[in-house]
Amino acid sequence: MPDPPQLSVVIPAYNEASRLPATLARIAAFLDGAPRWRPAEIIVVDDGSRDGTAAVGEGFGGRDGIAVRVVRLGTNRGKGAAVRAGLEASRGEWVLISDADLAAPIEDIDLLHAAGVDLAVGSRALRRELISRRQPWARDLMGRGFNLMLRGLGLTSFRDTQCGFKLLRGELARSLGRQLRLDGFAFDVEMLARSRRLGSSIREVPVHWAHVDESRVRALRHSLQMARDVLRLRLWLWLGR
């Protein structure tokens, strides 16, 4: 049996056929020039897309020391469900979660790794000068309000839990893949809470970031969904579930 990869890159994807080719090419190019992260695997989790997302992933040719796999979810279940499936399918010593739009550049994986912790959480809030293109005011307001809610519920002390760029030790990633339950965008909060309960070391790390249009986040709809989910999470943690 071949040795497990040094790195698994998990990309949750819903209707991403148009921008996935450029994303995969950029990640593969980075890995080509970064032997410290090879062998590597890129796992595209197709979250019930209605376009050719899965076909794009399956048609992207692997390179020396870089494999590409596609995990298909039969129906659209949400980003949390897609990330969970990717974590469970991963085999790497390290697992990077990255959005399909690469709003945080793949190169910043080295900033996360340098933190030397079990879970490094990319953050847009610690050094806002690293943001080259800011998100619309409504979405920024949503994020700030959500973070205040998390602090009020005692669920985090971090300033940004929702940046889609996180690096985990492989053992922790696969453990979380079996434990996480939230299917929506609040899965990041559950990931941090359950990692903390496992005794994992966690650090918030500033990363570069640029807002990308055509975001899958809908301010009102997803704000209500996330508020509901973090209240459920708070209850689960109180009950020890």
Side-chain angles (χ1 to χ4, degrees):
M1 178 176 291
D3 292 335
Q6 176 70 12
L7 175 68
S8 300
V9 182
V10 173
I11 305 174
Y14 175 63
N15 292 341
E16 295 286 3
S18 61
R19 59 184 168 192
L20 192 57
T23 295
L24 293 176
R26 181 172 172 183
I27 293 174
F30 167 76
L31 294 173
D32 269 341
R36 62 193 174 281
W37 289 116
R38 294 199 312 269
E41 62 177 0
I42 303 172
I43 302 173
V44 177
V45 184
D46 175 26
D47 185 21
S49 299
R50 298 189 300 271
D51 64 2
T53 294
V56 169
E58 289 167 347
F60 188 85
R63 306 188 185 186
D64 185 32
I66 306 170
V68 179
R69 294 195 283 141
V70 175
V71 175
R72 292 177 181 248
L73 302 185
T75 59
N76 178 230
R77 295 169 54 192
K79 185 178 180 182
V83 169
R84 185 167 67 242
L87 296 180
E88 197 163 6
S90 69
R91 299 187 303 116
E93 182 176 343
W94 290 92
V95 178
L96 177 71
I97 302 169
S98 175
D99 286 342
D101 58 14
L102 287 183
I106 182 65
E107 294 79 8
D108 277 10
I109 185 177
D110 292 324
L111 298 179
L112 300 184
H113 185 255
V117 292
D118 300 320
L119 169 54
V121 180
S123 174
R124 300 158 292 188
L126 292 181
R127 291 184 58 193
R128 290 192 173 270
E129 70 272 18
L130 298 181
I131 300 176
S132 59
R133 186 184 181 198
R134 297 185 179 276
Q135 59 191 349
W137 69 268
R139 186 169 168 183
D140 187 63
L141 184 63
M142 179 185 78
R144 291 172 187 259
F146 182 65
N147 190 260
L148 287 174
M149 180 181 182
L150 297 180
R151 289 169 179 266
L153 291 170
L155 287 171
T156 192
S157 59
F158 289 172
R159 293 176 59 186
D160 182 11
T161 60
Q162 301 308 112
C163 179
F165 198 67
K166 295 177 173 67
L167 183 67
L168 307 84
R169 293 191 187 275
E171 184 178 348
L172 173 61
R174 288 176 281 280
S175 177
L176 291 171
R178 296 186 293 269
Q179 292 184 42
L180 297 178
R181 298 173 60 186
L182 293 177
D183 286 345
F185 286 103
F187 81 91
D188 301 85
V189 186
E190 184 184 14
M191 176 182 294
L192 296 178
R194 295 197 185 278
S195 297
R196 189 162 52 244
R197 290 205 164 193
L198 290 170
S200 304
S201 55
I202 311 171
R203 183 176 299 173
E204 190 175 9
V205 179
V207 294
H208 296 84
W209 193 80
H211 172 71
V212 178
D213 291 330
E214 299 182 12
S215 168
R216 302 295 181 251
V217 178
R218 301 295 175 259
L220 179 59
R221 172 188 168 191
H222 289 130
S223 290
L224 295 174
Q225 180 192 79
M226 291 165 70
R228 177 203 67 193
D229 282 350
V230 296
L231 290 173
R232 291 168 64 197
L233 175 61
R234 179 69 278 175
L235 179 61
W236 292 344
L237 294 175
W238 275 333
L239 295 175
R241 290 168 53 184

